[in-house]
Amino acid sequence: MADQAARRVGARAVAMGTSALPVDSHLTPSPRYAAIGKRFGLTMREQLTCGFHVHVAVSSDAEGVAVLDRIRPWLPVLLALSSNSPFWMGEETGYASYRYQVWGRWPSAGAYDVFGSPGEYHRIVESLIGSGVVLDSGMVYFDARLSDHYPTVEVRVADVCMDAGHAVVIAALVRALVETASRDWRRGAAPSPAETGLLRVAMWSASRFGIGGSGLVDPILGAPRSPRAAVATLLSHVASALDHAGDRELVESGLERILAEGTGADRQRRVLRLSGGLRAVVMDAAELTNRGSAPSSAPTAA
């Protein structure tokens, strides 16, 4: 286990999107990372973030790009549900997912336009590399992309989840979104016309508020949505795919637990209020990370 290995050197394995405590980072010694560090400076040195990337197999680039074009409006909900990074280097950020803000410093990161075809997708990737700013295709950090190494669509918006049960729900939702998008493509349904500018606003709002209050924005309508309403719409959209995979009951019960008890970000803030210290936040996260599931009651001070 990762935690056992970490303990041998006086550390713990902790599933958090960012470090709650101040830490010094260092680059992995490789020529590629050295080149990225030289080009991007502080942006690279401060990239101590942990995301949760979900891969779903597709049969071809054509299917993959069709999926990318059709899942765009649903990505803010996934980010909100997975939010697990409210603290950054010892400070309260005001964000549920500050990881998404830090990651957004990369010039190739974030929301993307509808591509329309594999040819256009690859043209844009080649243009980014040809600009001399992005070093290689591995640095094309769209919120979702064709994997550079596997025959998959790679959805990259989620924070790493402190609770393994939350991770299972996110993964099942991503698989259902990909399946639904593929079905829509095969029957000739056009992608949603969600504007990229509104999608960026929706992603920012999900990062800022998580599932708190009415902080989500519908990127199609450009209007606020309550988290519960947004989740209900997402569930309706992917219901058939969830049924086909046998995941519906698991996802519905898991979503209800997240909405009732909160995300990892909510838990971190609860522990801070109860304990008064960020060290207690990290230790609580370490225990939950390695236990694999959260108790139904609020955490006590550590």
Side-chain angles (χ1 to χ4, degrees):
M1 288 179 60
D3 193 52
Q4 292 175 343
R7 283 175 182 269
R8 287 196 288 271
V9 294
R12 297 295 304 274
V14 185
M16 304 170 81
T18 55
S19 176
L21 297 170
V23 295
D24 293 323
S25 63
H26 63 274
L27 294 182
T28 299
S30 78
R32 181 173 183 267
Y33 285 154
I36 295 173
K38 182 177 180 180
R39 178 160 300 181
F40 292 97
L42 187 64
T43 295
M44 176 63 162
R45 294 196 300 275
E46 288 194 340
Q47 277 302 323
L48 187 59
T49 62
C50 295
F52 176 36
H53 299 173
V54 182
H55 290 255
V56 182
V58 289
S59 61
S60 64
D61 281 3
E63 181 183 19
V65 171
V67 166
L68 294 177
D69 287 351
R70 288 161 176 78
I71 64 175
R72 296 164 68 246
W74 307 103
L75 299 181
V77 185
L78 297 180
L79 174 59
L81 289 167
S82 69
S83 56
N84 185 31
S85 50
F87 305 116
W88 174 255
M89 302 297 180
E91 294 190 32
E92 163 66 71
T93 67
Y95 287 81
S97 173
Y98 194 64
R99 176 203 62 85
Y100 189 79
Q101 299 300 313
V102 175
W103 190 253
R105 298 175 188 175
W106 295 109
S108 56
Y112 53 89
D113 296 332
V114 171
F115 298 109
S117 69
E120 181 64 7
Y121 176 89
H122 291 298
R123 184 194 69 78
I124 291 172
V125 170
E126 289 166 5
S127 294
L128 291 171
I129 298 170
S131 71
V133 175
V134 175
L135 267 66
D136 53 38
S137 58
M139 285 194 67
V140 176
Y141 296 141
F142 301 146
D143 286 341
R145 68 183 185 184
L146 299 183
S147 171
D148 209 31
H149 303 292
Y150 307 107
T152 62
V153 165
E154 180 185 0
V155 178
R156 305 165 53 84
V157 294
D159 281 7
V160 66
C161 296
M162 190 189 308
D163 186 325
H166 293 190
V168 170
V169 169
I170 297 298
L173 282 172
V174 170
R175 179 168 66 177
L177 277 169
V178 172
E179 176 63 25
T180 301
S182 179
R183 291 179 186 179
D184 288 346
W185 167 62
R186 293 180 188 284
R187 66 181 178 83
S192 161
E195 295 179 2
T196 303
L198 277 175
L199 188 54
R200 290 184 183 278
V201 167
M203 293 301 293
W204 180 89
S205 189
S207 168
R208 173 67 173 85
F209 300 107
I211 59 170
S214 57
L216 292 181
V217 173
D218 187 316
I220 299 175
L221 302 177
R225 295 290 304 278
S226 73
R228 191 167 287 277
V231 167
T233 303
L234 171 58
L235 272 175
S236 176
H237 177 67
V238 299
S240 177
L242 288 174
D243 286 337
H244 182 259
D247 289 340
R248 187 163 183 170
E249 183 178 352
L250 178 149
V251 168
E252 287 182 344
S253 62
L255 287 172
E256 187 56 42
R257 186 161 76 90
I258 293 172
L259 290 170
E261 299 177 9
T263 64
D266 297 315
R267 183 183 178 97
Q268 289 188 50
R269 285 173 169 149
R270 277 200 304 274
V271 174
L272 181 64
R273 288 196 301 270
L274 289 166
S275 69
L278 287 173
R279 179 176 174 79
V281 172
V282 174
M283 294 309 298
D284 175 76
E287 292 305 314
L288 178 56
T289 296
N290 296 291
R291 186 165 64 244
S293 63
S296 60
S297 59
T300 57

